């Protein structure tokens, strides 16, 4: 059962569906209590509003979740959170078996907190949904010396770092101003704010102002801001049918809403409404998203060297920001297992895993 948004402020806040690991890491390193690993029949999935995760709510509402759960003789409760960070906290504490989360936040919160976590589905990557926006300036180089408003330690912070790197600048060349996503649009309208980094739908809303210019966005770093469905590794090991059900749900739903049919249009309209926009708004956000609607495409991506390259950048960024735990002595502190068999960091402390197992089963028609 999904909880509808009660206000636009909640809607904006939940679009942090990509945001913050910092506060959560500090609070969760204490108590990462993995879900009890054992064969079971009932599972809980946490998700929050973002264009790439809307299919989970739609699948629950339309009966697709129940269909696949019934196929494997299990029950899957898909729960919407209006607060993305809280959904991560709940998963990390063991209250949920699976979670929609970005690659960066999966590493910085549950994995760094000691919860062995597996990326069951690489659903998409941001391909323009996240952007650096300058007021009355059309070149990224103009950012030097400016105050930059963004959600600190979020994927926006990471995007800023990559943008600065592209023009041989460092974070010390700007001043980061931590700003809530709920306040970002209003902040941009003030005289003192001249640079922001944020995500859709806030990007679209800010760019509607004639003074606003997109000077760098996630399409310049394709594949680096991934949106995932992750699950507790031990739970998956003991309950592989849960993983199969998740991929079955995902690929049936994506096939439906990406189809050029009346049913596909109706599904997108429903997801747009549920996320606080309309069909046109949802389609525009979808256009800035590289969706892996076909399992074979997701398998090809997760097996590619690009994932290792990205996660190496991400872990180094997180270590620099002290987001891999207070005891981390280097970026190697938390091991990351890749689908090609390689391990980044401590092979004796692998807590984040990319696998092709379940997506490949879907691609091969073996669910």
């Amino acid at each position: 059962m999904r909880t509808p948004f009660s206000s636009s402020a909640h809607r904006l806040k939940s679009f942090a569906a990509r945001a913050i690991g910092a506060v959560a890491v500090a609070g969760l390193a204490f108590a990462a209590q993995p879900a009890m690993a054992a064969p079971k029949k009932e599972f809980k999935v946490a998700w929050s509003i973002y264009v790439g995760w809307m299919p989970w709510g739609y699948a629950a509402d339309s009966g697709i979740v129940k269909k696949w759960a019934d196929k494997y003789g299990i029950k899957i409760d898909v729960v919407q959170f209006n607060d993305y960070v809280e959904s991560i906290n709940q998963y990390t504490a063991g209250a949920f078996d699976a979670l929609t989360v970005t690659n960066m936040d999966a590493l910085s919160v549950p994995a760094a907190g000691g919860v062995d976590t597996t990326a069951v589905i690489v659903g998409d990557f941001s391909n323009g949904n996240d952007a650096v926006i300058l007021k009355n300036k059309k070149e990224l180089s103009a950012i030097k010396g400016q105050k930059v408003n963004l959600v600190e330690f979020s994927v926006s912070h990471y995007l800023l770092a990559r943008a600065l790197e592209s023009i041989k600048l460092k974070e010390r060349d700007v001043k980061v101003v931590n700003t809530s996503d709920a306040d970002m649009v209003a902040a941009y309208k003030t005289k003192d704010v001249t640079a922001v980094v944020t995500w859709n739908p806030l990007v679209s809303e800010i760019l509607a102002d004639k003074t606003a210019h997109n000077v760098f966005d996630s399409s310049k770093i394709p594949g680096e801001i991934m949106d995932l469905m992750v699950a507790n590794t031990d739970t998956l090991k003991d309950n592989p049918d849960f993983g199969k059900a998740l991929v079955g749900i995902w690929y049936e739903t994506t096939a439906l809403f990406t189809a050029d049919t009346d049913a596909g249009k109706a599904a997108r309209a429903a997801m747009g409404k549920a996320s606080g926009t309309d069909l046109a708004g949802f389609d525009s956000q979808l256009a800035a998203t590289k969706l892996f609607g076909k399992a074979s495409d997701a398998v090809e991506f997760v097996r590619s060297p690009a994932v290792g390259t990205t996660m190496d950048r991400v872990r180094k960024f997180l270590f620099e920001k002290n987001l891999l735990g207070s005891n981390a002595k280097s970026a190697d502190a938390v091991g990351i297992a890749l689908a090609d068999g390689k391990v980044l960091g401590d092979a004796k402390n692998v807590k984040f895993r990319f696998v092709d197992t379940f997506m490949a089963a879907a691609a091969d028609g073996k669910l």
Side-chain angles (χ1 to χ4, degrees):
M1 182 94 180
R2 295 192 295 124
T3 304
F5 292 107
S6 59
S7 70
S8 59
H10 279 153
R11 185 176 302 122
L12 289 174
K13 184 174 182 181
S14 75
F15 260 98
R18 355 277 313 307
I20 315 166
V23 174
V25 159
L28 277 172
F30 66 88
Q33 299 175 1
M36 293 299 291
K40 59 182 186 176
K41 293 294 185 180
E42 297 188 4
F43 302 87
K44 295 178 69 178
V45 176
W47 75 282
S48 51
I49 296 282
Y50 177 66
V51 60
W53 295 329
M54 293 310 300
W56 291 102
Y58 181 80
D61 289 347
S62 65
I64 296 174
V65 169
K66 185 177 186 303
K67 170 188 171 180
W68 283 91
D70 287 349
K71 175 182 173 69
Y72 291 105
I74 60 178
K75 180 181 178 181
I76 301 175
D77 188 15
V78 176
V79 180
Q80 179 192 315
F81 278 75
N82 286 344
D83 186 328
Y84 172 62
V85 175
E86 182 60 20
S87 72
I88 301 175
N89 289 352
Q90 290 289 325
Y91 165 79
T92 305
F96 285 79
D97 302 288
L99 168 75
T100 56
V101 67
T102 66
N103 53 319
M104 189 174 95
D105 294 331
L107 178 58
S108 68
V109 188
V115 177
D116 198 323
T117 293
T118 294
V120 180
I121 301 167
V122 180
D124 70 82
F125 63 74
S126 176
N127 199 34
N129 272 317
D130 301 79
V132 180
I133 299 171
L134 297 186
K135 184 178 289 182
N136 294 318
K137 302 291 182 181
K138 297 183 179 181
E139 300 295 330
L140 176 59
S141 57
I143 201 170
K144 186 174 182 179
Q146 292 203 44
K147 292 180 180 178
V148 182
N149 294 68
L150 52 74
V151 177
E152 197 171 22
F153 307 128
S154 70
V155 290
S156 294
H157 205 154
Y158 176 78
L159 183 68
L160 173 65
R162 294 289 281 125
L164 294 173
E165 178 185 322
S166 74
I167 54 173
K168 296 180 169 53
L169 293 181
K170 301 286 187 181
E171 192 173 320
R172 63 174 176 267
D173 293 311
V174 300
K175 180 176 175 54
V176 169
V177 179
N178 188 25
T179 306
S180 167
D181 55 304
D183 297 331
M184 199 68 68
V185 175
Y188 181 81
K189 293 178 180 178
T190 65
K191 181 179 179 181
D192 293 339
V193 174
T194 58
V196 300
V197 188
T198 190
W199 48 77
N200 262 323
L202 309 181
V203 167
S204 296
E205 191 167 352
I206 293 171
L207 287 177
D209 189 311
K210 64 181 181 181
T211 67
H213 300 280
N214 177 346
V215 295
F216 190 93
D217 64 37
S218 52
S219 68
K220 305 287 179 59
I221 55 167
E224 294 190 28
I225 300 176
M226 305 173 212
D227 297 310
L228 312 173
M229 170 60 75
V230 305
N232 180 283
T233 299
D234 291 336
T235 298
L236 275 180
K237 181 179 179 181
D238 289 338
N239 303 276
D241 284 351
F242 176 49
K244 292 177 183 178
L246 289 176
V247 296
I249 292 163
W250 175 254
Y251 293 114
E252 178 172 341
T253 308
T254 55
L256 172 63
F257 81 80
T258 58
D260 186 18
T261 62
D262 288 343
K265 183 177 180 180
R268 295 195 308 278
M271 287 186 279
K273 182 178 180 180
S275 62
T277 186
D278 55 15
L279 175 61
F282 187 78
D283 281 347
S284 69
Q285 292 172 39
L286 201 58
T289 306
K290 173 56 179 176
L291 184 75
F292 292 116
K294 294 182 179 180
S296 56
D297 293 340
V299 170
E300 181 181 3
F301 175 76
V302 81
R303 289 176 178 172
S304 72
V307 174
T309 300
T310 289
M311 292 312 300
D312 191 42
R313 287 195 181 106
V314 168
R315 70 191 186 117
K316 289 174 179 175
F317 171 82
L318 292 174
F319 177 70
E320 289 172 1
K321 302 299 180 186
N322 298 314
L323 297 178
L324 288 181
S326 58
N327 295 324
K329 304 301 181 185
S330 73
D332 289 334
V334 180
I336 305 168
L338 304 174
D340 63 6
K342 296 178 182 176
V343 174
L344 298 176
D346 189 351
K348 295 181 180 179
N349 188 42
V350 172
K351 295 298 180 184
F352 190 28
R353 305 169 192 269
F354 285 88
V355 300
D356 58 23
T357 312
F358 300 98
M359 295 183 294
D364 295 339
K366 295 181 178 178
L367 292 180

